Amino acid sequence: MGKTDLLENLMQVAPLKLIVHKSAEALGEEVNAALVEARKKINKPYSSSPAYVGYEEDSFLVDHSCPRFGSGEGKGVINESVRGKDIFILADPCNHSLTYKVNGHINHMSPDNIYQDVKRIIAALAGKPHRITVIFPFLYESRQHKKYTRESLDAAIALDELMHMGVSNIVTFDAHDPKVQNSIPLSGFDNFMPHYQFLKALMQHENDLKIDKEHLIVISPDEGALDRAVYFAGVLGVDIGMFYKRRDYSKVVNGKNPIVCHEFLGENIEGKDVIIIDDMISSGGSMIDTAKQLKSMNAGRVYICTTFGLFTDGFDEFDKAYEKGYFDKLITTNLTYHDDICKTKPYYIEASMSMFLARIIDFLNHDAPMSAVLTPTEKIHDAILDYNEGKNINLEN
């Protein structure tokens, strides 16, 4: 699972247990399998120690459920003892495929429903675990992370609520605005980035990339994604560009101010391959417009890399944009739910984060330093070196 040598001679703070909400079942199964395999390889000399109890298991998954009454009300149920365990709760707030019945009618679960289930699970644990960590790959309500006038501040309220319920740490990926952690300054908040997984996926599907300033540039589609692009460009050793979203603040359409146009700030990109990096694709209109403008500026290949592909309006516009040559590949992670139709698209690449998430859980369970997990700079440099020398890219996450 990579970097496991750092866990040698360290033991778990308490027996590890993983509660996977049904919204994240596919990801949870892969994470569990990776944890089971990793625990077979380390700290064998301590197998006779009392601290090794629960260290190596056939499965770390906890038997639980969140049933619903006919009225739509629900409850959380834990079907085994969790006393003294180090609990990790994994849930995907953006999984829109789940349904439940209300008075005979079928409802699709919203992010609010899934968040409520997480609270039900925490309540059912009844304070018995040694520690509770909640993993929201897509941070619940992260798009409502700040307010300007009389608005709710949902992300901060949710984080504060979870801490008051006894949660010790929040784990998320590519938070829309990491500053939201300031709402819980005395509690744990770990925000991980998928830069290495993006690069690895791209390298595995393209054999003729030239990663240098003359041939590649990283683009931020707006000012909000600039920090992501600055780091990625820096570690790749290439230039950066940015689009500025000019909005019409006199109107509100679907809860937001409509974009009038995208204006580019940066060096000449003619003939260069482009990586556009952002945290999410919602409807995708903004990203497609960015790619279109890059192509009109005579960019080479255009690669779109986003942590979360929500695709709230489906794939029709992406299909049309791909057919017109506006972009070449679209890379998203498996951290949130995708319809199977994704995998049928000739332009779609999934960057798996399962091994990475398993390693994060393993390190947290050992109270090991997270610096090796948080900063993948060395791994990215090694991958670029291997790629440039024609070697196979290491599949380890």
Side-chain angles (χ1 to χ4, degrees), residues 112-396:
D112 293 339
N113 295 135
I114 293 170
Y115 173 62
Q116 194 67 26
D117 273 358
V118 169
K119 292 197 295 179
R120 291 181 176 118
I121 290 168
I122 295 169
L125 294 172
K128 300 301 189 295
H130 173 79
R131 184 171 63 182
I132 300 173
T133 296
V134 170
I135 305 171
F136 282 137
F138 183 99
L139 185 61
Y140 171 71
E141 285 293 347
S142 58
R143 299 179 74 180
Q144 187 52 28
H145 58 97
K146 57 185 177 182
K147 66 177 183 177
Y148 296 101
T149 55
R150 291 182 291 276
E151 301 175 335
S152 59
L153 197 55
D154 295 40
I157 290 172
L159 292 175
D160 185 64
E161 186 175 28
L162 290 174
M163 293 305 123
H164 279 91
M165 292 186 72
V167 174
S168 301
N169 195 46
I170 301 292
V171 172
T172 193
F173 289 83
D174 204 352
H176 194 60
D177 184 353
K179 293 192 293 293
V180 72
Q181 66 186 286
N182 293 338
S183 61
I184 48 169
L186 300 181
S187 302
F189 184 97
D190 290 309
N191 181 44
F192 298 92
M193 304 297 290
H195 294 108
Y196 171 67
Q197 284 74 18
F198 285 153
L199 182 64
K200 188 188 72 172
L202 191 56
M203 287 177 168
Q204 288 173 340
H205 286 82
E206 300 286 359
N207 57 16
D208 61 345
L209 283 175
K210 294 182 179 178
I211 304 174
D212 56 43
K213 287 187 176 182
E214 287 71 39
H215 299 93
L216 184 69
I217 187 169
V218 174
I219 299 293
S220 170
D222 55 41
E223 58 275 24
L226 189 56
D227 287 345
R228 301 175 183 90
V230 166
Y231 170 77
F232 205 29
V235 76
L236 295 180
V238 301
D239 289 328
I240 185 174
M242 185 190 84
F243 278 90
Y244 167 68
K245 290 180 180 178
R246 188 147 58 88
R247 295 180 180 272
D248 183 354
Y249 287 99
S250 66
K251 300 177 182 178
V252 176
V253 179
N254 293 329
K256 56 186 179 182
N257 303 109
I259 298 169
V260 176
C261 70
H262 291 84
E263 297 180 356
F264 182 70
L265 304 173
E267 300 292 330
N268 180 24
I269 66 168
E270 185 171 355
K272 292 185 178 181
D273 291 336
V274 175
I275 296 176
I276 309 173
I277 189 165
D278 205 356
D279 62 328
M280 74 176 76
I281 288 175
S282 183
S283 64
S286 177
M287 190 64 75
I288 290 172
D289 186 51
T290 298
K292 179 181 178 181
Q293 290 200 49
L294 289 169
K295 283 292 188 178
S296 71
M297 297 161 64
N298 298 317
R301 291 171 292 187
V302 174
Y303 303 108
I304 299 172
C305 295
T306 61
T307 308
F308 305 104
L310 305 182
F311 305 112
T312 56
D313 289 348
F315 289 90
D316 289 347
E317 293 304 314
F318 283 95
D319 291 343
K320 294 175 184 176
Y322 178 71
E323 290 169 3
K324 293 177 180 178
Y326 294 161
F327 71 95
D328 294 82
K329 295 293 181 183
L330 169 61
I331 304 172
T332 69
T333 72
N334 64 332
L335 290 173
T336 194
Y337 170 79
H338 292 139
D339 293 319
D340 290 339
I341 193 173
C342 276
K343 298 176 182 178
T344 68
K345 303 299 178 181
Y347 51 81
Y348 179 76
I349 300 172
E350 183 176 86
S352 176
M353 302 290 286
S354 305
M355 292 282 285
F356 186 27
L357 180 52
R359 186 166 71 250
I360 290 167
I361 292 171
D362 215 8
F363 270 60
L364 288 172
N365 180 240
H366 285 81
D367 269 354
M370 300 301 293
S371 55
V373 182
L374 276 167
T375 309
T377 304
E378 182 180 343
K379 290 173 67 177
I380 291 175
H381 285 161
D382 289 344
I384 293 172
L385 184 62
D386 288 346
Y387 182 82
N388 289 338
E389 293 179 354
K391 297 178 182 178
N392 290 330
I393 303 302
N394 189 350
L395 295 179
E396 287 285 326

Side-chain angles (χ1 to χ4, degrees), residues 75-96:
K75 63 179 177 179
V77 181
I78 304 296
N79 297 314
E80 60 183 85
S81 174
V82 292
R83 187 180 297 275
K85 303 297 193 292
D86 193 13
I87 298 291
F88 292 81
I89 302 173
L90 173 62
D92 174 12
C94 291
N95 188 334
H96 58 272

